[in-house]
Amino acid sequence: MKPALFEYHRAASVAQAVDLLAEDPGAMILAGGQSLVAAMNFRLAAPSRLIDITRIPDLDRIAVTAEGVAVGAAVRHRTLERHDGAHAVNPLIRAAQAHVAHVPIRNRGTVVGSLCHADAAAEMPLVLLLCDGWVELEGPGGNRRIPAEQFFRMHLTTARASDELATRAVFPALPPDAGWAFAEFARRKGDYAIAAVGAIVQCDAGGRITRARLAACGISSKPVRLGRAEAALAGGTADATAAAEAGRAAATHVDAADDSIATAAYRRHLVAALTERVVAEAAARARRGTE
Amino acid sequence: MNARALPRPQIPVNSADPRHAVTLTVNGVEVSREVSPRMLLSDFIRHELGLTGTHVGCEHGVCGACTVLIDGVSARSCLTLAVQADGAELRTVEALADGDAGLSVLQQAFAESHALQCGYCTPGFLMALTEHFESGDPLDLSDEGIREMIAGNLCRCTGYANIVVAVRRAAELSGRS
């Protein structure tokens, strides 16, 4: 099918994009368009105006600074995936990117666009939440930053106001001694996750877990922290028993209903197994780091 | 043999759509057209340029049949608006063969290995693979690595086995294995 009629504007600056957005309540931002154009082809989305932000200078920049990896709103998934500087400070990014659709989609789709689209089963929102990152927005009233914890509201819904442009997202660097892991299960590689789990684990010299951070997608209406699994791990030894216990605790976070792809019971099984796996892998990396 | 005239599709011109001028390089030739913003790049390639080698399957980014190279990297032309490609360097499957003189290495390997049956999906496979073959990155020619390269393209005839064979053969032909 074909998109319904719309106006097309190519913004030359962030300020112009914000003005164009404010003028028309039916306007939407176009970056890579890999979700939006598909929705428009189906006429699930019929914006009256598209504002193309990909030609705005500097919006396609990746900056690796002390605060982490700052990703401009026009940065394509594939560019970030292949960025060695970003990988050096936050290897979770590349690990998760391998599961974001396929190369031709990653060549066009943008990271910030994926965050703003906020599919409940998408990988990059999970990573932003797991790393305690944030999204920076520019609107008629100025700019603000929203932590991932508050940015994702529910499936396809964020805290971004309709007159705001997300200009960049920041994925903080992982602590140098942290172990990390990401695992996903989907029926076909490249599909949205039925469930995916990421972990950041730090251990002391004795192999005891000093800090564990876990997040999952596909199991709720938005990406979620697995707080009960984190609590189960804290202070314990990073062994197989602890990983299995974290898995059982993680399963209690599943609140997605049965759907056409998986039952809730199957998602609980998956998230438990994936959690067990990422905890073991992240703890092993953390131990190697402290040796 | 006489050159076959390109098809001229009958598209109504009396629409209310605004028009935008786009200029891009297609298979080495600069083209300029006035298009509606809602014209998909896949339709631009087929209807405006008459390059019907780019096939349209699902039209929502799933099947990969419409894959082309935009500035050297693969992309779904059905998920790209023609206006977004303004200024780009575009290549379609028509760019692969050297006229009637010779097939590209990938095309030759596909033909030799029986990697196509109905052929509808083939242009998309070829373009997606061309990106990998042209990149300087080492090719992972394990079964898993090849299947990863073609994961974004659907074929309903071959069962993929001979496409995997063809990719390995193309690597051999181009000295990449």
Side-chain angles (χ1 to χ4, degrees):
Chain A
M1 292 200 293
K2 312 295 174 190
L5 183 56
F6 56 87
E7 279 174 21
Y8 173 81
H9 297 269
R10 190 175 291 156
S13 65
V14 167
Q16 192 196 4
V18 170
D19 286 346
L20 286 163
L21 203 51
E23 275 171 22
D24 181 351
M28 287 182 83
I29 298 295
L30 174 67
Q34 298 301 285
S35 299
L36 179 57
V37 177
M40 289 168 63
N41 285 356
F42 275 122
R43 303 212 176 185
L44 293 169
S48 50
R49 167 185 287 189
L50 284 188
I51 303 155
D52 186 342
I53 58 164
T54 58
R55 313 286 173 114
I56 297 176
D58 298 339
L59 228 48
D60 62 350
R61 278 226 189 125
I62 298 170
V64 180
T65 66
E67 60 182 3
V69 182
V71 182
V75 171
R76 319 274 177 181
H77 285 293
R78 188 75 171 150
T79 312
L80 181 61
E81 180 187 358
R82 296 171 69 97
H83 196 285
D84 291 331
H87 177 67
V89 300
N90 190 334
L92 273 165
I93 292 173
R94 187 175 285 174
Q97 283 284 354
H99 296 271
V100 177
H102 307 288
V103 170
I105 304 278
R106 297 206 290 277
N107 279 337
R108 297 289 301 170
T110 63
V111 177
V112 174
S114 174
L115 299 175
C116 291
H117 187 59
D119 191 293
E123 293 82 4
M124 294 319 284
L126 183 168
V127 174
L128 193 76
L129 179 68
L130 178 59
C131 308
D132 207 15
W134 65 88
V135 177
E136 296 177 5
L137 303 150
E138 189 84 31
N143 54 46
R144 59 177 180 147
R145 67 162 64 170
I146 306 180
E149 200 84 51
Q150 287 144 40
F151 187 72
F152 303 107
R153 290 272 173 85
M154 60 177 283
H155 184 51
L156 309 184
T157 308
T158 68
R160 183 183 73 88
S162 60
D163 60 357
E164 284 179 309
L165 170 68
T167 51
R168 64 177 202 162
V170 176
F171 294 85
L174 301 189
D177 62 342
W180 56 273
F182 181 91
E184 168 165 334
F185 189 83
R187 286 181 63 193
R188 289 167 303 201
K189 181 79 192 295
D191 281 4
Y192 278 113
I194 297 178
V197 184
I200 303 170
V201 172
Q202 287 166 278
C203 294
D204 63 19
R208 204 166 287 277
I209 295 173
T210 53
R211 184 172 167 269
R213 223 179 138 89
L214 293 161
C217 70
I219 63 163
S220 187
S221 65
K222 57 181 181 179
V224 286
R225 283 277 298 281
L226 302 173
R228 287 187 283 276
E230 292 173 2
L233 288 170
T237 317
D239 58 13
T241 316
E245 196 187 323
R248 281 191 293 277
T252 65
H253 286 276
V254 176
D255 64 10
D258 294 353
D259 61 25
S260 60
I261 297 167
T263 61
Y266 183 53
R267 282 199 163 87
R268 283 194 292 273
H269 166 78
L270 277 181
V271 81
L274 293 169
T275 298
E276 201 175 328
R277 202 177 294 171
V278 294
V279 166
E281 200 181 323
R285 279 203 175 98
R287 278 195 300 268
R288 278 201 297 277
T290 54
E291 273 162 15
Chain B
M1 199 174 80
N2 290 330
R4 197 152 48 100
L6 290 172
R8 300 298 306 174
Q10 301 295 308
I11 298 173
V13 290
N14 57 341
S15 82
D17 290 21
R19 312 299 273 186
H20 291 264
V22 296
T23 300
L24 58 162
T25 309
V26 181
N27 301 335
V29 179
E30 189 177 283
V31 298
S32 293
R33 294 286 191 281
E34 301 257 317
V35 299
S36 162
R38 60 172 157 173
M39 174 168 268
L40 300 173
L41 183 61
S42 48
D43 290 339
F44 178 81
I45 292 165
R46 292 176 58 85
H47 301 170
E48 288 290 328
L49 306 179
L51 295 169
T52 53
T54 299
H55 293 168
V56 176
C58 69
E59 218 167 41
H60 64 283
V62 174
C63 77
C66 69
T67 304
V68 297
L69 298 181
I70 301 175
D71 294 325
V73 298
S74 61
R76 305 283 201 243
S77 60
C78 77
L79 293 187
T80 307
L81 303 168
V83 286
Q84 288 177 283
D86 185 26
E89 191 258 309
L90 184 74
R91 269 187 296 160
T92 67
V93 71
E94 285 87 350
L96 295 186
D98 180 15
D100 290 332
L103 298 175
S104 77
V105 160
L106 275 162
Q107 287 172 312
Q108 189 187 330
F110 266 60
E112 275 180 22
S113 313
H114 195 60
L116 61 146
Q117 290 178 32
C118 86
Y120 198 84
C121 68
T122 311
F125 274 91
L126 292 171
M127 299 318 285
L129 285 164
T130 296
E131 177 188 4
H132 290 284
F133 273 69
E134 286 183 353
S135 82
D137 302 344
L139 297 172
D140 177 356
L141 296 172
S142 65
D143 277 11
E144 200 188 341
I146 294 174
R147 283 175 186 271
E148 176 76 34
M149 277 186 243
I150 61 172
N153 293 71
L154 293 181
C155 170
R156 301 289 77 171
C157 299
T158 62
Y160 303 101
N162 282 348
I163 297 178
V164 173
V165 171
V167 174
R168 211 167 271 134
R169 175 72 180 137
E172 198 177 288
L173 288 171
S174 56
R176 297 287 299 274
S177 52

